[in-house]
Amino acid sequence: MSNSTRCAACKSLRRRCPQDCILAPYFPSNNPQRFLWVHKIFGASNITKMLQQLPVELRGQAADCMVMEAYSRVQNPVYGSVGIIHQLQQEIIEAQKEIIKIQGEIAFYSAQFQHQHLQQSQINAEQQHQDSFFSDFKS
């Protein structure tokens, strides 16, 4: 790569960007923040070593994972992405509790409706019985 089209990593590290720069495909010059987060958390040498140890087809996913973890660590230095996972698990637990509560309410109102429907059916049956009984007297 020429100096004018250095990747974000090489620009940040203030070095020449070689033609075969391992960081260039994953840290383009138009998104410098992506590299800055990863560099702050992992360091340029470790990023390079991790990417070199992977097959080329997995490097993009690895870079994305590093970016996600680094961004999480910048946002929450103690827990990083684990903090996000924990928060989401708590939200799932709360949603499950809400679902159980709503299912209970549905069961209650369904039973109440069935009870009322049964009572109405009994009243209707009694009414029909009385009507047929009195119609016998009218005849």
Side-chain angles (χ1 to χ4, degrees), residues 79-99:
Y79 295 108
S81 60
V82 173
I84 293 170
I85 292 167
H86 178 72
Q87 177 187 356
L88 293 173
Q89 285 174 332
Q90 294 298 57
E91 289 178 21
I92 289 169
I93 289 168
E94 290 303 314
Q96 288 171 335
K97 287 179 185 177
E98 187 70 19
I99 288 169

Side-chain angles (χ1 to χ4, degrees), residues 3-139:
N3 242 4
S4 62
T5 58
R6 292 182 298 170
C7 68
C10 291
K11 279 184 182 179
S12 174
L13 299 171
R14 296 185 179 134
R15 66 182 186 193
R16 197 179 128 274
C17 193
Q19 198 73 8
D20 61 344
C21 179
I22 192 166
L23 301 173
Y26 316 109
F27 303 101
S29 61
N30 63 353
N31 191 355
Q33 190 62 49
R34 181 176 162 93
F35 177 74
L36 293 175
W37 290 328
V38 175
H39 181 253
K40 180 177 181 177
I41 301 301
F42 297 105
S45 176
N46 288 329
I47 298 166
T48 303
K49 286 177 191 173
M50 284 188 267
L51 291 175
Q52 286 173 336
Q53 292 175 358
L54 293 171
V56 175
E57 64 272 8
L58 297 178
R59 291 178 183 174
Q61 289 177 342
D64 291 342
C65 289
M66 283 188 269
V67 170
M68 188 200 73
E69 180 60 33
Y71 179 74
S72 298
R73 286 281 170 186
V74 167
Q75 298 300 313
N76 185 339
V78 176
Y79 295 108
S81 60
V82 173
I84 293 170
I85 292 167
H86 178 72
Q87 177 187 356
L88 293 173
Q89 285 174 332
Q90 294 298 57
E91 289 178 21
I92 289 169
I93 289 168
E94 290 303 314
Q96 288 171 335
K97 287 179 185 177
E98 187 70 19
I99 288 169
I100 290 169
K101 178 184 167 196
I102 290 170
Q103 286 173 334
E105 290 175 1
I106 289 170
F108 172 77
Y109 289 117
S110 178
Q112 190 177 30
F113 173 78
Q114 288 175 356
H115 179 72
Q116 288 173 348
H117 183 69
L118 180 62
Q119 282 181 328
Q120 189 61 43
S121 296
Q122 289 172 342
I123 290 170
N124 290 343
E126 285 177 19
Q127 186 67 40
Q128 286 176 352
H129 179 69
Q130 287 175 358
D131 288 348
S132 68
F133 179 76
F134 289 120
S135 70
D136 288 344
F137 283 118
K138 292 179 182 177
S139 312

